[in-house]
Amino acid sequence: MPSVPSDLGQVALLVLRVFTGICFIRHGWPKLRNLKTWSTAMKTPAWLCFLSAFSMWGAGIALIPGFLSPLPAIAIFVSMAYAMVLEIFAGTPFIAPDPYQIPEGDYAGPMGVGEPPSWEKAAMYVVMCLVLATCGGGLFSVDNLLIADLVTSLLG
């Protein structure tokens, strides 16, 4: 099987990094704006919810240009691993049945009828962040443009 060309792999890493950044700006900001509501719903202290929401939002902003990429990826990883653990302990399945397979009227979540809960999405974000944390920002990143030599000298 032929290997993926380096440039194509770098473009894929760029797409993953920017997509993940956008997702977490969108996940973190509403939680920051509605911190008390989110804290109450999660039954978690507001300060811990703030740390999680701020890390999602701030890390999303840092991931888009690829600034210190492993650090924001690790911050999101921690929040998503915690979310995954909460879902597992709540007894939700890894992959919920598709909504079209559930007989009408058999599922109504907190916001009405919708997709049943699962920990699949949190697990996907954990994996995405593991890739970003281990691969770094890639060729098309602020990391590569400004601090690649510094990082190489520190690690090498």
Side-chain angles (χ1 to χ4, degrees):
M1 179 184 237
S3 65
V4 177
S6 178
D7 290 346
L8 185 55
Q10 292 299 322
V11 170
L13 188 58
L14 169 69
V15 169
L16 177 65
R17 197 185 72 237
V18 170
F19 177 80
T20 304
I22 291 168
C23 287
F24 279 92
I25 289 171
R26 298 278 299 144
H27 281 298
W29 184 247
K31 289 172 176 66
L32 283 171
R33 293 198 55 195
N34 301 290
L35 194 58
K36 181 149 179 57
T37 303
W38 187 50
S39 171
T40 302
M42 294 287 294
K43 298 180 182 120
T44 303
W47 67 270
L48 190 57
C49 286
F50 172 78
L51 288 176
S52 178
F54 186 79
S55 72
M56 287 181 207
W57 179 71
I61 291 170
L63 279 177
I64 290 173
F67 182 69
L68 301 174
S69 302
L71 297 178
I74 290 167
I76 294 170
F77 170 88
V78 169
S79 286
M80 292 297 95
Y82 179 67
M84 197 171 78
V85 167
L86 289 177
E87 292 291 341
I88 291 168
F89 283 134
T92 57
F94 172 52
I95 298 175
D98 288 324
Y100 70 86
Q101 295 175 326
I102 300 171
E104 193 165 330
D106 277 6
Y107 174 74
M111 303 290 285
V113 176
E115 190 165 328
S118 73
W119 52 278
E120 173 186 9
K121 186 166 69 169
M124 288 190 319
Y125 283 133
V126 163
V127 171
M128 292 164 66
C129 288
L130 279 174
V131 171
L132 292 171
T134 56
C135 292
L139 183 62
F140 308 112
S141 68
V142 170
D143 293 349
N144 187 55
L145 293 173
L146 300 179
I147 62 173
D149 292 337
L150 174 65
V151 171
T152 302
S153 68
L154 289 174
L155 298 175

